[in-house]
Amino acid sequence: MDFIIKFAQAHESFRLAEIQALAEIERVDLEIIEYSDQSPLCLIRLPTARDAQRLIRRSILAQSAHELWGTGATLDALHASVKERTSGYWADYKSISFKFTIDSYQGAHSNNERLSIINTFDYLPFQGPIRMSHPDETFTVFELWPFNSVPLGIEKPTMIYLGRLIGKSSRETVIKFDLKKRGYISTTSMDSELSLVTANIAMAGPGKLFYDPFVGTGSFPIACAYFGAMGWGSDIDGRSMRGEGGAKSLKGNFEQYDLRARLGDVFAADLTNSPIKKDRRVWDGIVCDPPYGVREGLRVLGLKNPEKMPWLIEFGKKNVASPDFVPPKKPYSFLAMLDDILAFAAATLVDNGRLSFWMPTANDEDQEIRVPTHPSLELVVVCVQRFNKWSRRLITYSRLPDGKVSATAMAEHRSIKMVSSVGTTVDDLNPFRRGYFKKFESQRQEH
């Protein structure tokens, strides 16, 4: 059966990735027939209408799913298509209550024109009442118009579809988790829409354990918990998780959404000094937005020159359990952090578990930061959110079973000298920060 998915016209490069991940979660056989980032409509093929309902029900970027009744470049062609495709089961809708709506993308009609279009479907033998509120069935005429159709005076759309509403998505959840309504946030808290989309692409769900090693105020574990997963997290700065305590804390955020039962725990640690054993494959998913090191240089626990400060090491051993103890930190390479994230994921993800993390890069090809690779991780999809001079990418991998990992690729990977995590300055260690403050700034001044 063929269906129409109506997407929100936002975060276009994420839409298909989310739907394909949901198809895997719901175990439905999805075929993409037609899709474009320039259109809010996607034509798909699924075995049943029930599969379409399951596919759409937890989507954030989709709005609704519709059974495709017809398509055509003109209204006459649409009617011919409807008659050819659906006349065999018109009798099933003879007595139902119904309504027709028109959804015009980049175009517009007057009320009289809309009514006139709807009246052209009077050949359908529907004898039930027309109900504008809560009808049994809703039929939508979707129109795709050229860009700037209204100011250019274009009178007709380029493509028309008729669809029967099958199900609606969870897009309204974005409002529920809006950061403006959240009790505790920081300047780096990920917005609710992209947190939920990340959780979907990472395939969070009931019975799964999801972990964020840069948890901050908890945006990602909250999104994963909403979809049924058990959320865990850690952060190098325990203050970001504790907040002021009570409602003004990470745990308070979980309680605000009645998700406290789905919070495993959080703890203070950094990725390179984690208490999580590297030889235990425990996580079904790892989702995170690592620090970009723009405001401050990236740091990890440790000393840059431990041989020059042995007294500080001894002080740490004696006072590590003190609530007032602040562990020393050393500079950390941005590229080393990316490699460490992948190495940690490869060591701790279950087979086919997903890693989804955000990574910034310049829009200039000369400054673009490579997508990191690891022999045990298969790249699934790269989604891009563009800003002015830079972008950030949501990069998603799947953990390959050990039997599918190339022994040759693994040997080559182990032979490569790892990126140094220590440097002279924060700019030496962070190419994105260097570009952000130097080349990006010079471009702004030129304009």
Side-chain angles (χ1 to χ4, degrees), residues 278-279 281 339 343 346-347 373-377 399 402-403 405-419:
K278 298 293 181 64
D279 58 349
R281 309 271 293 279
D339 288 338
T373 61
H374 190 285
S376 295
L377 299 173
R399 188 14 168 129
D402 288 337
V405 177
S406 167
T408 302
M410 182 60 75
E412 291 178 354
H413 177 76
R414 289 171 176 166
S415 68
I416 297 173
K417 184 179 180 181
M418 298 304 292
V419 177

Side-chain angles (χ1 to χ4, degrees), residues 21 197-204 208 210 284-287 354 356 396:
V197 170
T198 301
N200 268 340
I201 293 176
M203 298 174 59
K208 294 184 178 182
F210 268 67
D284 296 285
I286 298 173
V287 289
R354 288 198 169 187
S356 290
T396 301

Side-chain angles (χ1 to χ4, degrees), residues 15-310:
R15 301 186 307 193
L16 209 55
E18 185 197 36
I19 283 296
Q20 289 172 330
L22 294 179
E24 289 196 44
I25 291 172
E26 299 291 349
R27 298 182 181 180
V28 299
D29 186 12
L30 169 67
E31 178 185 349
I32 305 296
I33 301 174
E34 184 179 313
Y35 174 77
S36 169
D37 284 353
Q38 305 304 311
S39 169
L41 304 183
C42 175
L43 300 187
I44 64 172
R45 184 163 293 148
L46 295 167
T48 68
R50 174 58 182 157
D51 290 326
Q53 293 172 338
R54 290 166 53 208
L55 177 68
I56 202 73
R57 61 185 175 185
R58 58 177 273 182
S59 175
I60 300 300
L61 295 179
Q63 294 177 330
S64 52
H66 308 256
E67 183 181 62
L68 180 64
W69 274 42
T71 178
T74 65
L75 197 55
D76 288 341
L78 173 65
H79 289 314
S81 176
V82 170
K83 293 173 183 178
E84 179 182 355
R85 296 175 66 103
T86 67
S87 59
Y89 46 86
W90 287 351
D92 296 340
Y93 302 92
K94 183 176 181 180
S95 301
I96 52 94
S97 62
F98 68 96
K99 74 173 181 180
F100 272 75
T101 65
I102 296 180
D103 187 320
S104 300
Y105 178 65
Q106 299 185 149
H109 290 293
S110 67
N111 287 336
N112 287 337
E113 289 172 337
R114 295 165 73 89
L115 182 59
S116 177
I117 292 171
I118 292 172
N119 285 336
T120 63
F121 292 90
D122 59 3
Y123 57 86
L124 294 172
F126 299 166
Q127 299 178 11
I130 297 174
R131 290 181 182 164
M132 302 311 294
S133 297
H134 309 296
D136 295 326
E137 301 289 349
T138 297
F139 295 88
T140 302
V141 179
F142 292 101
E143 296 181 334
L144 298 180
W145 292 65
F147 179 68
N148 265 354
S149 292
V150 175
L152 292 176
I154 297 175
E155 297 181 352
K156 294 182 179 181
T158 55
M159 187 60 65
I160 315 173
Y161 306 87
L162 178 66
R164 180 178 71 88
L165 179 64
I166 295 296
K168 295 184 178 180
S169 71
S170 293
R171 185 159 177 77
E172 72 283 352
T173 307
V174 174
I175 299 174
K176 175 182 177 181
F177 289 96
D178 189 345
L179 292 184
K180 294 178 181 179
K181 302 175 182 178
R182 189 169 298 177
Y184 175 58
I185 62 172
S186 69
T187 55
T188 58
S189 295
M190 180 66 71
D191 75 77
S192 62
E193 183 174 26
L194 290 176
S195 295
L196 291 161
V197 170
T198 301
N200 268 340
I201 293 176
M203 298 174 59
K208 294 184 178 182
L209 302 180
F210 268 67
Y211 172 62
D212 182 353
F214 307 94
V215 71
T217 62
S219 292
F220 289 120
I222 287 171
C224 294
Y226 171 73
F227 291 123
M230 183 69 72
W232 295 73
S234 65
D235 202 288
I236 190 172
D237 187 353
R239 295 172 298 181
S240 64
M241 299 177 288
R242 294 190 298 269
E244 300 174 16
K248 296 290 185 178
S249 68
L250 182 150
K251 292 182 179 179
N253 285 340
F254 270 79
E255 291 170 353
Q256 176 181 344
Y257 301 116
D258 197 26
L259 293 172
R260 184 65 179 84
R262 293 182 190 161
L263 173 61
D265 206 350
V266 293
F267 52 93
D270 73 47
L271 198 64
T272 63
N273 295 277
S274 175
I276 299 171
K277 294 182 178 181
K278 298 293 181 64
D279 58 349
R280 297 187 63 183
R281 309 271 293 279
V282 295
W283 304 122
D284 296 285
I286 298 173
V287 289
C288 60
D289 182 24
Y292 304 158
V294 172
R295 297 181 184 86
E296 300 176 356
L298 297 172
R299 294 183 178 274
V300 291
L301 299 177
L303 295 173
K304 181 178 179 180
N305 297 304
E307 65 278 0
K308 294 182 179 180
M309 308 180 75

